[in-house]
Amino acid sequence: MSSGDLLGTGISALLAFQRSLSTTSHNISNVNTDGYSRQLVSLGARLPQGDGTGFIGTGVQAITVLRQYSNFISSQVLTNSTASTRLDSYYQYAKQVDNLLADANTGLAPGLQEFFGAVQDVATDPTAIPARQVLISQGQSLVDRFHTLDTNLNTLNQSINTNLSSEVVTINSLGGSIAKLNNDISIAAGSAGGQPPNDLLDQRDALIEQLSLHVSVATITQDDGSINIFIGNGQNLVIGNQSAQLSVTANQYDAQQGEITVTMGGTSSVATSKLTGGSIGGSLDFRAQILNPARNELGRVAIALSQTLNAQHQAGMDLNGTLGQALFTPPAPQILASSSNGAGAAITVAVSDVGALTKDDYLLQYNGTNYLLTNMTTNSTQTLGAAGTYVVDGLTLDVATANSGDRFLILPTRAAAGGISLAISDPRSIAAATPIATATTAANTGNGRISAGTVTDISNTAFTTTTGVLTPPITIRFTSAVAYDVINTTTSAVLDSGVYNPVTGNNIFPTTTNSLDYGYQVRITGAPATGDTFTVDYNTNGTGDNRNALALAGLQTSGVLSNGTTTYGESYGNLVSSIGAQTHSADINLQSQTTLLQQSKDQRASVSGVNLDEEAANMLRFQQAYQAAAQVISIASSLFGTLLGALRG
Amino acid sequence: MRVATSQLNQNAVVAMLDQQSKLNNVQQQIATGKRVLTPADDPAASARILSLNQAIDLTKQYLRNSDSATTRLDLEETALTGSEDVLQRVRELAIQANNATLTATDRSSIGLEVRQLLSQLQGLANSKDASGEFLFAGFRVNTQPFTDDGNGVYSYNGDQGQRQVQVGPNRVVDVGDSGASVFVNLPLTAGGLQDIFTTLEAFATNLEANVANPDIIADIDTALNKVLTVRSNVGVRLNVIQGQTDTNNGYLLQMKQALSGVQDVDYADAISQLNQQTVALQAAQQSYVKVQGLSLFNYLR
């Protein structure tokens, strides 16, 4: 036995407990540091020395400083925080669209109601100029509402583009820092003989967690301690100490829309669709699932409104006796050519059937032989064929020439809400009347009656040959109780004849023998006698007629969209409630995801977090142990002194 | 489970923020009086609210249309009543003129009165409404329907159109009758068709010339009957409008009640929630303060 051993043991204890105390104080100092994992000194007994009497222990040593950290729980936190920021970003944007559409000052529903109210007022008093003036200004207000909605939705679109740029900067810097830390960690571990550089590891984890807020992250730990990071659907960001660079480039169809390109080791690829999760995933999902469909649907309502109102208005007669002109001008469908297309392609698209119009976007491709059309919502492709005219979903596509490999993005309704405008300004030009008027000849002996008449096809030559004149004016003469002739009133020439059913009454056109049709319809009911006549002529000076205004007002409640099943108001209502439902479910999901995130963070803190009371108790423990070890040294010293004293004496 | 010090703080703060947000939501509901603040609060209800609002606005429009229609029909009825009175007076004069004891001078002065009545009738037939539109011109409301050339030849310049007004979802009502169906094409006892003005003109001329008018009373009766028929039609239409207005008003009330039920906040419910939330927030705040003070370091002095 030697007192040196005693001294050595005591000193080893002092050193070990010093380390423990300094680690405890490190923990206490970092109680409020984000991402800090508490550290414990792992103590181990030193190797004993053995001789004939047994093995004598030689004290304690600090083996390593252990970071209290669970890989599994940390990856749970990553998953949950990505999902949570994705939903949060999605929800915040969705809420804005939700409020915009439903607000009484910006929403479309009040505008539609006021416009059609003005139409009804014109129908009630067709010659009053003030009522007509109000209709024109309500038309302008309605157009303004469409514009405001579109502008606001477009602003959201712009802000997503702007955000993409700043997200890209953040991700690049995080990726760069993580790559540098990978390098530092492997150097530090090497220089300390394999001991883990705990605080660097904590820093790296914190950066990875920050990254997960922006985009979903997958990590793979390498043998040398570095972590490879993959974002989104397997897009690599950090490999060892190299990091990829993200940049925002122009979309091939629309230079103002941003795409994210990843560049690593000299190769670049467009990766926007692969970046899911986090705030990037949230804003891209919002754009695809809520923003673009909302703009398309709004545009669809705008196109339906202008086309159907125009068609009905043009079938009417204004105060000057001329046929109505267009009320609104909707913009045509957009055709965006890819930036990689060749020159000289000739493609046109027009809306031909509003009832069949959808709110989808389409991709048109030419493979050298055939044109192919893909519906971007359902992802189904149909082969159209070679150059020609095709009708799909209410659109007429005229595909004349294209280069092989050319691609075109077709947005039928996206720009309509922003581009619609009012085409009428003169109150006298509002066509409240119908261009034809009928009359029952007074001398008739039977009791037949003729209806007031409706226009079925304003482009018929009866209307277009001369303005303000019906060509020809018609007399319907009954040759018997069940047959009539259709006669040109001016020349008395018999144009055709027809069969009459006195029990039910008849529509007169198209006539039985030669299917004569002049673009209007009249109905005779009752029992005309032989020789009875009825006339149809242009409604000259018929300024008090309101039949067309009534028809215009009736469009508000008639099924115009979705193959004749939905009114404008209902379509808009469907849009509002579907956005409302999506926002609502995003809210619910966000709340539950936030709870999950909170729970996983609690679990992580439970393992890695510093508890001040615990550290206080540890401090007391190590302090006591240090004092005891110091006492051992003083005993060792007094033993030596006793030994020396004995030898002197 | 081990709890880290930072967790204690964080969880308490998160809980307080959550309580505050709920409190804010309830307060918004009470302040605006609406249970559904944004469509996301209740998507199904928001769709219903939009369609109820449209139904209410449409019904109000129909009520306004009914008022306009009633005004116009009332004007028409007044003109027809006036015409009736004129024709009754002419009928009296016709009977009077038949009296064999009258002299040529007497008949001449009756003829003068008949001319005045004729002019009055013409004025009634050319009545205008408040906007200056002619009531009996069919669709040609800016053209005077009845004109004479100064020599006793009368023309009808209107057409046979009848304007309609929408007073209900599928209900239209005629708000006029063309002059052709009231004053023109009246069958004469002697055969053929003639308008009442020509008939009265002929009557006056004959009176002035002291010529007999054997058919005049029958002809006036025909005209009177026509006016009466049209007038009772107008009365029927006014009744129809009244009935539709009552229906519309009842419907409007129902829709407004439905809207209120879907959209408005139940104050009793909301205020009790407000109280609960306030208590919850206060409890969270006070418990946070209590827990904050507990630390082993307090005792290590």
Side-chain angles (χ1 to χ4, degrees), chain B residues 19-275:
Chain B
Q19 297 292 17
Q20 276 181 345
S21 142
K22 286 187 185 147
L23 187 64
N24 182 47
N25 202 29
V26 174
Q27 199 267 329
Q28 281 283 86
Q29 284 183 329
I30 292 178
T32 58
K34 290 205 185 326
R35 181 182 65 89
V36 181
L37 292 166
T38 67
D41 292 339
D42 192 345
S46 73
R48 184 122 174 79
I49 288 172
L50 278 178
S51 67
L52 282 172
N53 273 330
Q54 174 165 319
I56 288 174
D57 280 334
L58 266 177
T59 310
K60 284 186 186 167
Q61 181 69 48
Y62 294 143
L63 287 171
R64 278 197 291 277
N65 290 355
S66 303
D67 280 344
S68 279
T70 307
T71 308
R72 204 157 200 275
L73 286 171
D74 282 342
L75 278 175
E76 190 186 341
E77 192 176 26
T78 309
L80 290 172
T81 311
S83 307
E84 208 183 304
D85 292 340
V86 165
L87 288 171
Q88 289 283 25
R89 180 69 188 138
V90 176
R91 193 175 191 279
E92 281 171 21
L93 289 175
I95 295 176
Q96 206 181 337
N98 248 355
N99 195 328
T101 59
L102 290 178
T103 65
T105 330
D106 296 329
R107 293 217 173 85
S108 198
S109 50
I110 293 177
L112 203 62
E113 193 179 346
V114 169
R115 276 206 192 279
Q116 280 173 350
L117 289 168
L118 169 59
S119 154
Q120 200 180 336
L121 189 65
Q122 211 181 332
L124 285 167
N126 284 331
S127 303
K128 289 189 190 181
D129 71 4
S131 327
E133 294 178 3
F134 289 103
L135 286 176
F136 293 107
F139 286 143
R140 298 182 183 161
V141 296
N142 293 121
T143 317
Q144 183 171 323
F146 293 102
T147 51
D148 75 273
D149 64 348
N151 292 331
V153 179
Y154 293 87
S155 344
Y156 176 60
N157 309 311
D159 62 19
Q160 296 183 6
Q162 270 185 301
R163 192 193 298 173
Q164 297 182 317
V165 159
Q166 189 166 13
V167 294
N170 289 312
R171 208 81 192 276
V172 285
V173 168
D174 294 325
V175 291
D177 295 277
S178 69
S181 58
V182 183
F183 301 108
V184 184
N185 299 325
L186 301 165
L188 290 173
T189 331
L193 299 169
Q194 191 170 269
D195 64 274
I196 186 62
F197 307 105
T198 312
T199 309
L200 293 181
E201 172 82 31
F203 181 40
T205 312
N206 285 349
L207 281 173
E208 281 155 2
N210 209 3
V211 171
N213 294 287
D215 300 327
I216 190 63
I217 296 178
D219 290 342
I220 292 174
D221 281 340
T222 313
L224 253 176
N225 280 336
K226 200 63 188 286
V227 170
L228 281 169
T229 311
V230 174
R231 192 179 143 214
S232 77
N233 258 340
V234 170
V236 165
R237 284 181 222 143
L238 281 169
N239 275 343
V240 161
I241 294 178
Q242 185 57 49
Q244 186 64 42
T245 302
D246 292 337
T247 308
N248 284 341
N249 277 327
Y251 186 69
L252 190 62
L253 188 62
Q254 271 182 7
M255 291 294 109
K256 283 186 174 172
Q257 280 175 344
L259 183 64
S260 169
V262 170
Q263 183 177 275
D264 293 343
V265 72
D266 174 2
Y267 276 103
D269 188 40
I271 289 176
S272 93
Q273 264 198 339
L274 183 70
N275 287 337

Side-chain angles (χ1 to χ4, degrees), chain A residues 284-351:
Chain A
L284 289 177
D285 285 345
F286 161 78
R287 185 166 68 183
Q289 293 170 12
I290 293 191
L291 186 64
N292 285 344
R295 297 182 77 187
N296 283 357
E297 179 61 15
L298 208 58
R300 192 171 80 122
V301 174
I303 290 185
L305 201 67
S306 50
Q307 283 212 354
T308 50
L309 283 172
N310 282 355
Q312 186 65 55
H313 193 250
Q314 285 166 326
M317 188 184 83
D318 65 19
L319 278 184
N320 298 324
T322 51
L323 295 178
Q325 63 193 73
L327 281 174
F328 298 101
T329 318
Q334 282 181 302
I335 307 172
L336 302 173
S338 166
S339 49
S340 58
N341 279 6
I347 312 274
T348 57
V349 180
V351 176

Side-chain angles (χ1 to χ4, degrees), chain A residues 355-584:
Chain A
L357 200 57
T358 64
K359 59 184 201 299
D360 304 327
D361 300 330
Y362 300 88
L363 181 66
L364 181 70
Q365 304 171 71
Y366 184 53
N367 63 7
T369 330
N370 285 326
Y371 287 88
L372 303 143
L373 191 71
T374 310
N375 180 319
M376 305 285 279
T377 314
T378 61
N379 269 325
S380 64
T381 310
Q382 61 179 11
T383 310
L384 295 175
T389 308
Y390 302 93
V391 177
V392 177
D393 287 345
L395 299 167
T396 303
L397 295 116
D398 209 328
V399 289
T401 50
N403 309 302
S404 176
D406 275 358
R407 299 155 70 89
F408 303 89
L409 189 63
I410 297 179
L411 307 175
T413 60
R414 181 82 56 90
I420 187 176
S421 62
L422 193 65
I424 198 168
S425 58
D426 181 6
R428 293 185 63 85
S429 311
I430 293 187
T434 301
I436 56 170
T438 58
T440 307
T441 310
N444 283 357
T445 50
N447 65 0
R449 280 188 322 276
I450 189 168
S451 68
T454 52
V455 172
T456 52
D457 179 9
I458 198 67
S459 60
N460 192 292
T461 51
F463 297 107
T464 57
T465 312
T466 320
T467 319
V469 166
L470 201 64
T471 314
I474 296 292
T475 304
I476 300 164
R477 168 176 298 131
F478 276 77
T479 52
S480 75
V482 293
Y484 57 87
D485 282 342
V486 174
I487 299 169
N488 180 327
T489 312
T490 328
T491 65
S492 304
V494 176
L495 298 161
D496 204 3
S497 53
V499 169
Y500 182 71
N501 181 343
V503 178
T504 60
N506 264 31
N507 284 343
I508 298 301
F509 296 103
T511 52
T512 330
T513 321
N514 290 326
S515 292
L516 209 56
D517 195 332
Y518 283 115
Y520 52 82
Q521 183 62 271
V522 291
R523 186 179 180 82
I524 296 187
T525 49
T530 310
D532 279 359
T533 57
F534 304 86
T535 58
V536 181
D537 201 349
Y538 201 79
N539 191 5
T540 318
N541 286 333
T543 50
D545 179 16
N546 68 349
R547 283 173 286 164
N548 206 39
L550 282 176
L552 281 168
L555 285 176
Q556 183 187 15
T557 46
S558 52
V560 163
L561 291 152
S562 304
N563 294 319
T565 55
T566 346
T567 69
Y568 319 112
E570 280 166 7
S571 279
Y572 183 74
N574 287 343
L575 176 65
V576 171
S577 69
S578 103
I579 303 263
Q582 283 176 295
T583 309
H584 183 66

Side-chain angles (χ1 to χ4, degrees), chain A residues 554-640:
Chain A
L555 285 176
Q556 183 187 15
T557 46
S558 52
V560 163
L561 291 152
S562 304
N563 294 319
T565 55
T566 346
T567 69
Y568 319 112
E570 280 166 7
S571 279
Y572 183 74
N574 287 343
L575 176 65
V576 171
S577 69
S578 103
I579 303 263
Q582 283 176 295
T583 309
H584 183 66
S585 80
D587 186 20
I588 305 255
N589 287 343
L590 178 61
Q591 284 174 26
S592 67
Q593 192 58 49
T594 307
T595 310
L596 283 175
L597 179 62
Q598 199 56 41
Q599 282 174 1
S600 50
K601 279 190 174 170
D602 281 353
Q603 274 191 312
R604 186 177 61 177
S606 163
V607 168
S608 310
V610 172
N611 185 315
L612 285 177
D613 287 351
E614 190 187 36
E615 300 303 321
N618 280 346
M619 242 175 46
L620 284 178
R621 177 157 67 107
F622 294 132
Q623 192 183 24
Q624 209 178 45
Y626 189 86
Q627 281 165 349
Q631 197 62 25
V632 164
I633 289 176
S634 92
I635 298 283
S637 158
S638 77
L639 278 185
F640 191 61

Side-chain angles (χ1 to χ4, degrees), chain A residues 64-270:
Chain A
T64 183
V65 179
L66 276 180
R67 183 173 154 236
Q68 298 303 297
Y69 172 80
S70 162
N71 224 347
F72 171 69
I73 293 178
S74 287
S75 64
Q76 286 280 71
V77 170
L78 282 184
T79 315
N80 285 335
S81 76
T82 294
S84 172
T85 43
R86 176 192 165 272
L87 282 168
D88 187 49
S89 159
Y90 185 91
Y91 174 65
Q92 294 304 329
Y93 277 122
K95 218 165 48 151
Q96 290 188 52
V97 177
D98 191 42
N99 287 340
L100 183 70
L101 292 178
D103 187 282
N105 294 327
T106 55
L108 197 65
L112 282 173
Q113 198 53 49
E114 282 166 9
F115 175 74
F116 281 104
V119 175
Q120 289 265 7
D121 287 341
V122 169
T124 313
D125 199 354
T127 58
I129 298 291
R132 288 160 171 259
Q133 196 63 56
V134 167
L135 176 55
I136 291 181
S137 43
Q138 287 298 350
Q140 187 59 53
S141 292
L142 186 60
V143 162
D144 289 343
R145 274 193 193 241
F146 271 115
H147 288 172
T148 309
L149 282 171
D150 186 72
T151 306
N152 281 314
L153 291 177
N154 201 23
T155 307
L156 284 177
N157 193 30
Q158 306 286 41
S159 96
I160 290 177
N161 278 336
T162 314
N163 278 349
L164 278 183
S165 309
S166 61
E167 298 271 12
V168 154
V169 167
T170 312
I171 292 181
N172 280 345
S173 110
L174 286 172
S177 309
I178 293 174
K180 183 170 176 304
L181 274 174
N182 273 342
N183 200 24
D184 292 346
I185 284 170
S186 47
I187 291 175
S191 67
Q195 295 282 15
N198 291 323
D199 297 294
L200 289 179
L201 292 174
D202 277 346
Q203 269 185 39
R204 187 173 60 181
D205 284 334
L207 287 176
I208 295 178
E209 193 180 330
Q210 267 192 48
L211 185 61
S212 77
L213 296 178
H214 296 275
V215 67
S216 70
V217 167
T219 60
I220 298 189
T221 315
Q222 304 295 98
D223 291 337
D224 67 349
S226 63
I227 294 186
N228 289 350
I229 309 270
F230 300 91
I231 55 174
N233 286 345
Q235 184 65 46
N236 55 3
L237 182 67
V238 174
I239 307 277
N241 57 5
Q242 300 296 319
S243 73
Q245 286 299 305
L246 271 66
S247 56
V248 177
T249 52
N251 178 293
Q252 61 174 316
Y253 301 108
D254 179 359
Q256 298 192 335
Q257 194 95 308
E259 294 283 346
I260 297 184
T261 307
V262 181
T263 312
M264 182 149 200
T267 49
S268 305
S269 56
V270 173

